[in-house]
Amino acid sequence: MLNFNIGEYVVYCSGEICRIDERSERCFDGVSKKEYCKLIPVDAVNSAYYIPSEYLESKARRLLTKDEIYKMIDSMPNASGTWYTDKNERKDYFEAVLKSDDIPVMIGMMKTIYDERSKLSANGKRLVAADERAFSAAEHLINREFAFVLGIKENDVSDFIQRRLAAEIA
């Protein structure tokens, strides 16, 4: 039994927000019919993914709720991740975090990269490009979902987070 309903929004394959449009029997291989869920990406409404219903729960997850997002934002100052001094280990770790679709772990990774960036900057140095790309990729995934759920523009998410954290401190 699927735990998703028609019309519900989900995150599909670590980052794409889609609406579940329908469930129907399809025959894509020319041999056997299967039940598929049709997912419509919110950023490409003329596109669709047909996912065998039996795999939907392993490929998609529910969007975060507003309350979950607020709790994550409030816990950001205490977030932590792992910094690997070996750049190959670090790259593998960052890739695994990005694929994990685990927002709190991504936030921890971002905070760790941010802290390392600050340390380097104090010494007149910069992060390597791969670290900056990992930070940007995590930021994009998080901002996309936060913006959609909160009903704000993706570009406004950072300001929203800063305002909320400032209010928590005050």
Side-chain angles (χ1 to χ4, degrees), residues 86-117:
D86 178 88
K87 68 180 180 180
N88 292 322
E89 255 185 303
R90 191 167 63 244
K91 180 179 177 262
D92 291 344
Y93 169 69
F94 290 165
E95 285 176 2
V97 168
L98 291 168
K99 288 179 185 174
S100 75
D101 199 32
D102 188 328
I103 303 296
V105 174
M106 280 189 222
I107 289 169
M109 179 190 85
M110 287 178 66
K111 184 162 187 298
T112 300
I113 294 171
Y114 179 85
D115 291 345
E116 188 64 23
R117 181 195 292 151

Side-chain angles (χ1 to χ4, degrees), residues 22-33:
E22 67 179 35
R23 276 194 201 110
S24 59
E25 294 267 324
R26 299 267 177 174
C27 181
F28 286 114
D29 64 4
V31 178
S32 58
K33 281 188 167 187

Side-chain angles (χ1 to χ4, degrees), residues 6-87:
I6 304 301
E8 185 174 355
Y9 288 91
V10 296
V11 177
Y12 173 65
C13 282
S14 300
E16 185 136 35
I17 298 173
C18 298
R19 181 177 49 78
I20 301 175
D21 188 58
E22 67 179 35
R23 276 194 201 110
S24 59
E25 294 267 324
R26 299 267 177 174
C27 181
F28 286 114
D29 64 4
V31 178
S32 58
K33 281 188 167 187
K34 261 187 194 185
E35 182 181 81
Y36 285 83
C37 287
K38 180 180 178 184
L39 304 181
I40 306 294
V42 297
D43 293 333
V45 293
N46 293 325
S47 297
Y49 298 111
Y50 287 89
I51 314 303
S53 295
E54 62 194 272
Y55 299 120
L56 185 62
E57 289 191 36
S58 65
K59 302 274 186 192
R61 67 166 172 80
R62 281 191 166 71
L63 290 171
L64 297 169
T65 65
K66 285 183 180 182
D67 285 342
E68 288 170 330
I69 290 172
Y70 296 149
K71 286 177 185 171
M72 284 183 195
I73 292 170
D74 296 344
S75 68
M76 282 180 177
N78 301 320
S80 65
T82 304
W83 184 262
Y84 293 93
T85 53
D86 178 88
K87 68 180 180 180

